[in-house]
Amino acid sequence: MRAGFVARGGHLTGEDLWITEHWAGPEQRWIRTLPQLPGDGGSAREPAPGEFLSGGEAWQRYRAGLLTRMPHKGTGTERSWGPVEISCTTVRDLAALCQVEMLPEDVWGRMAQVHEGRMPAAYDNLIDVTAAVCARGDAADLARLFSTGELAVPHHMLG
């Protein structure tokens, strides 16, 4: 599983999206599959380039200044979108890559502080590292990063 967002024209739409990803040995690459995209009739397919951004990919684009428009998820949620939601989804994507699948609204670790507007200054740097590790996809690096207290899913949240 991968946690991320629907993107159109290089911009996030405000829709969370979880996809599957599998290794295609003969092609020597990861293949992403959209199990269902709103409005596409529900057929599974590989997303077009830029149509899906994982949390880390969206974070890296945001930090590079490439996401200039941030959508809002309806009334009263403006503070929980944009960089806040992107950073939290980057952590959810790390969890998914470590075989711990959480819900899009699950919050743990520093995510609660971020949603309350109390983002520690060093948090952006932690998310930079998280996005880079997710992009590399090295299993040992992913597991090491995910085991840190700031990013690991607490035992009480696991079923």
Side-chain angles (χ1 to χ4, degrees):
M1 296 294 298
R2 296 300 303 265
F5 307 98
V6 175
R8 291 196 180 89
H11 299 284
L12 302 182
T13 65
E15 300 169 84
D16 297 323
L17 181 64
W18 290 67
I19 66 166
T20 59
E21 188 175 65
H22 69 277
W23 181 253
E27 297 178 43
Q28 294 295 297
R29 69 180 184 103
W30 287 99
I31 295 179
R32 292 176 170 184
T33 304
L34 293 170
Q36 180 179 352
L37 189 64
D40 74 356
S43 58
R45 62 180 175 80
E46 194 169 356
E51 185 177 20
F52 168 81
L53 295 177
S54 69
E57 291 164 344
W59 180 259
Q60 288 175 325
R61 288 186 184 190
Y62 161 71
R63 294 284 275 178
L66 300 175
L67 292 179
T68 56
R69 291 183 292 158
M70 294 289 179
H72 298 293
K73 282 186 163 184
T75 307
T77 61
E78 287 79 10
R79 212 164 105 204
S80 70
W81 230 98
V84 169
E85 189 61 27
I86 296 169
S87 70
C88 292
T89 299
T90 300
V91 177
R92 290 182 193 102
D93 193 41
L94 172 66
L97 287 169
C98 292
Q99 307 301 308
V100 178
E101 297 169 18
M102 305 301 291
L103 297 172
E105 49 280 335
D106 284 337
V107 174
W108 65 91
R110 287 197 176 174
M111 283 192 271
Q113 292 175 331
V114 171
H115 277 284
E116 294 167 359
R118 300 181 295 126
M119 186 179 330
Y123 190 74
D124 282 357
N125 296 332
L126 177 62
I127 301 304
D128 290 341
V129 169
T130 303
V133 169
C134 289
R136 281 195 308 274
D138 179 79
D141 288 345
L142 289 164
R144 193 171 18 263
L145 182 62
F146 186 59
S147 69
T148 65
E150 295 176 316
L151 299 172
V153 176
H155 291 285
H156 74 275
M157 293 183 73
L158 300 174

